[in-house]
């Protein structure tokens, strides 16, 4: 009565052995490394602004944020703390990437120091994203690093708000 189907259905998935499939843990490693690399880029940019404007040799407040009424519209950055944070982030990325350190872009030349607030906000967001992925992955080292960076950028934003108020 009915003719049998002679072709494969378009609804069945063809098993393609040449396509590599990654585990959930591998996907989370890749995603966490990406979030941390983005955080590293913003941290390098903040470090470049800190060393360009004041040499990074100022007294600092909480979380590496220094207060100075003349420089950077009320808040300055601690270049040494940012450099140390960048190195720790790079080490975590290397650990997640099988020992390959991330390529670090040269920070942009120029730009107004007023960009610091936007960069601090972006770094806070990226650290939060990294914290969420690290929590999903169960990586305590990355969780503590991301939480520390979130706190540092929150404190810097808070100090900036207090300095401009």
């Amino acid at each position: 009565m009915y003719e049998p189907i002679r072709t494969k259905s378009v609804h069945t998935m063809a098993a393609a052995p040449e396509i590599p499939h990654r585990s959930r843990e591998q996907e989370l490693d890749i995603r966490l490394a990406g979030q941390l690399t983005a955080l590293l880029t913003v941290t390098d940019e903040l470090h470049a602004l800190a060393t360009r404007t004041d040499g990074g040799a100022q007294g600092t407040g909480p979380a590496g944020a220094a207060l100075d009424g003349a420089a950077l519209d009320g808040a300055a950055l601690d270049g040494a703390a940012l450099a140390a944070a960048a190195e720790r982030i790079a080490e975590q990325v290397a650990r997640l990437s099988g020992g390959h350190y991330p390529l670090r872009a040269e920070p942009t030349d120029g730009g107004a120091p007023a960009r610091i607030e936007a960069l601090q906000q972006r770094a806070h967001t990226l650290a939060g994203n990294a914290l969420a992925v690290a929590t999903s992955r169960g990586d305590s080292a990355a969780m503590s690093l991301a939480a520390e960076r979130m706190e540092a950028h929150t404190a810097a934003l808070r100090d900036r708000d207090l300095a401009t108020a």
Side-chain angles (χ1 to χ4, degrees), residues 105-132:
E106 185 69 27
T108 58
D109 191 29
R115 290 185 28 218
I116 289 177
E117 185 173 1
L119 288 171
Q120 291 282 11
Q121 184 61 47
R122 179 71 179 145
H124 181 269
T125 302
L126 290 167
N129 292 344
L131 180 60

Side-chain angles (χ1 to χ4, degrees), residues 5-153:
I5 298 173
R6 296 183 185 149
T7 60
K8 291 193 177 229
S9 172
V10 294
H11 300 289
T12 59
M13 292 182 53
E18 68 274 356
I19 298 175
H21 295 284
R22 293 185 286 251
S23 68
R24 180 177 186 274
E25 184 175 319
Q26 290 170 326
E27 290 291 339
L28 288 174
D29 284 351
I30 292 166
R31 188 167 168 209
L32 181 56
Q35 292 292 332
L36 289 174
T37 301
L39 179 59
L40 177 62
T41 301
V42 174
T43 303
D44 282 343
E45 190 77 23
L46 285 167
H47 178 258
L49 281 171
T51 56
R52 192 174 325 143
T53 56
D54 66 353
Q58 252 188 347
T60 60
L67 297 177
D68 181 290
L72 306 177
D73 298 326
L77 302 167
D78 181 9
L82 287 167
E87 287 306 315
R88 290 184 55 219
I89 294 168
E91 288 170 3
Q92 288 296 318
V93 173
R95 180 180 62 85
L96 292 165
S97 302
H100 300 287
Y101 275 80
L103 295 175
R104 293 174 76 169
E106 185 69 27
T108 58
D109 191 29
R115 290 185 28 218
I116 289 177
E117 185 173 1
L119 288 171
Q120 291 282 11
Q121 184 61 47
R122 179 71 179 145
H124 181 269
T125 302
L126 290 167
N129 292 344
L131 180 60
V133 176
T135 302
S136 293
R137 188 178 174 277
D139 187 340
S140 60
M143 282 191 303
S144 65
L145 176 62
E148 174 189 310
R149 296 315 308 152
M150 276 187 73
E151 289 173 11
H153 295 295

